[in-house]
Amino acid sequence: MVARADVGSRIVGVMVNVYEATIATSELLDALNELLPQLSSSAQPVTMAELEAMVGSEASRVLVAEHDGAIVGSLTLAIFRIPTGVRAWIEDVVVDGNVRGQGVGDQLNRFALEVAYGAGAKTVDLTSRPTRVAANALYQKLGFVARDTNIYRHDPTR
């Protein structure tokens, strides 16, 4: 059984339970590996060892949305302390295509904000590709503001 802190909500006719997964299970692993290709065509499947490391880490929280007993969305929330305070970062938000547009992403992000601020975060950041029009509209609706900044990525394979 997946340990969870449920937040039930009816949104656009879809009842979802949003919770933090605290135990790595085969059910969660299978669900993440079904969702990840919907996020990125280059995403590699998650192994059980990687999932155990994610749910066991103090720095990352795996949040999931469940509908009718099936996991239909997830995101990872990183919470970390730096010299200027506690910060949080939302990554890898994905909602199954069969329930997109029905409020699942809204609930996942709202729960992530509650968890982050409850842990003392001063701010919560995320990035989103400009081509993800619906996701960007959701983030703006939730109060995220685009920042004028440079995001740099170092890739040791290049």
Side-chain angles (χ1 to χ4, degrees):
M1 189 66 183
V2 177
R4 61 189 74 198
D6 290 328
V7 176
S9 178
R10 178 160 299 283
I11 301 175
V12 192
V14 174
M15 178 61 107
V16 291
N17 288 315
V18 179
Y19 57 89
E20 178 180 351
T22 57
I23 299 172
T25 65
S26 58
E27 170 195 27
L28 179 58
L29 182 66
D30 291 346
L32 289 177
N33 284 327
E34 286 182 27
L35 289 168
L36 278 176
Q38 297 180 59
L39 175 66
S40 169
S41 60
S42 64
Q44 297 298 307
V46 175
T47 66
M48 182 58 81
E50 291 168 330
L51 180 58
E52 288 171 346
M54 285 187 294
V55 299
S57 171
E58 289 186 27
S60 64
R61 316 272 179 103
V62 178
L63 307 183
V64 297
E66 193 174 86
H67 171 64
D68 284 343
I71 295 172
V72 296
S74 71
L75 68 72
T76 302
L77 174 65
I79 302 173
F80 50 95
R81 178 170 288 285
I82 58 176
T84 56
V86 176
R87 302 293 179 171
W89 198 279
I90 293 173
E91 285 289 339
D92 292 348
V93 180
V94 61
V95 173
D96 187 273
N98 294 321
V99 294
R100 276 195 200 130
Q102 299 182 50
V104 176
D106 183 279
Q107 275 303 107
L108 273 168
N109 281 279
R110 287 181 191 278
F111 187 60
L113 292 171
E114 288 177 25
V115 171
Y117 292 127
K122 291 175 68 172
T123 59
V124 179
D125 291 307
L126 60 77
T127 60
S128 184
R129 292 186 186 120
T131 56
R132 297 187 183 267
V133 175
N136 283 284
L138 170 63
Y139 301 140
Q140 291 170 20
K141 179 183 120 186
L142 292 172
F144 285 91
V145 176
R147 297 181 68 198
D148 185 18
T149 187
N150 294 329
I151 301 282
Y152 294 96
R153 177 174 289 164
H154 184 272
D155 182 346
T157 63
R158 293 183 185 207

